[in-house]
Amino acid sequence: MKYAVISDIHGNLPALNSVIDDAKRNFIDEYIFVGDYYCDLAYPNEVVNTIKNIKGAHVIRGNKEKYLDGLLKSDQTEWVYDQFAPLYWNYRELDDDNLQYLIGLPEDKKIKTPNDNHKMHLFHASSFLFKSTNMGLLSSSQYAEKMIQGNFSHEEYLCYVQKILSSDDKIVEILDGLDTDIVIFGHSHIQWHAEIDKKGIINPGSCGLPLDYDKRAAYTILELNENAINILERRVPYNISDTICYTMKSELYTNAKTWCDIIFDQLNLAKDEINFFLRHVETTAKKKNDYSIPYSNTVWNEAANRWKSN
Ligand SMILES: [Fe+2]
């Protein structure tokens, strides 16, 4: 059995289409999607329709889908925060069917190969199973810090991941207690895989918004034979300008211009620029002695204007 493992599309349809084309060329049997299908780029319905049309796909929710629960229950007259403009736009843009589909997705899922030789546990963020462990060292911000200290290759990063995970007794203990031999999660937008005590751990990185300094769309092919687990990481080029031009013409851009401009930088650089922006908003809030959360529109817009002028 050959699975295509895909995560963190963030509304980037051209990236998803290129990944699916590549998966077809690699004779994939089944697709696994582990969350965050919409938000930052302007194709929410197209992405959801594409996933819904894949027969037998295994699909779970990410934190972006979880936000929809809260929006569904809230009063839209209270949707006044510029900080959340991308979420508001997506919520209103999503067709009813697609909204209900995303809200109804499970938080995690266990699946097995048809011959029962392998079992997989899918969830979106590593914190679902690995709370208070060294997994935090594999975040996108930690990746960027590490890059600032000195460039490293992907192979070097995979060795680092293997060392980080295998030296954490808590991670080894958690893996040991699982009734599955493979765990799959995304969320960090950093592609990696590791093997600890014969258990495979896969993070396919981000299809639509990679943050590991490689702007090509990421996904991972998992091939399961009777006794073997083969993992092949794929990076697929796609037309980034198509995504940016389409988004610039949408109301998402009109409603959340600064956010979208930073996202476009992220697409082109594959670096966690949003994280730097959020730190900048925090500094602005402190300077103004305004500690409200969500950030007030005064803080958000002042931070955005200063960010644009720098
Ligand atoms: Fe994400």
Side-chain angles (χ1 to χ4, degrees), residues 8 10 36 124 187 189:
D8 295 276
H10 287 252
D36 279 11
H124 180 64
H187 187 56
H189 296 220

Side-chain angles (χ1 to χ4, degrees), residues 110 117-121 123 129-130 135 161-162 165-166 170-185 192-203 222 224 227-231:
K110 287 182 182 175
N117 279 336
H118 298 279
K119 288 181 189 163
M120 293 162 262
H121 194 172
F123 43 94
L129 267 193
F130 303 99
M135 281 288 180
V161 170
Q162 188 72 36
L165 301 186
S166 55
K170 198 168 173 192
I171 289 176
V172 175
E173 193 189 316
I174 293 167
L175 285 169
D176 201 40
L178 297 181
D179 61 351
T180 57
D181 58 343
I182 298 152
V183 291
I184 296 174
F185 52 85
W192 56 265
H193 67 278
E195 191 186 316
I196 312 284
D197 286 347
K198 293 186 180 164
K199 301 219 171 181
I201 311 172
I202 295 171
N203 185 329
L222 169 64
L224 300 175
N227 294 312
I229 300 174
N230 294 316
I231 295 167

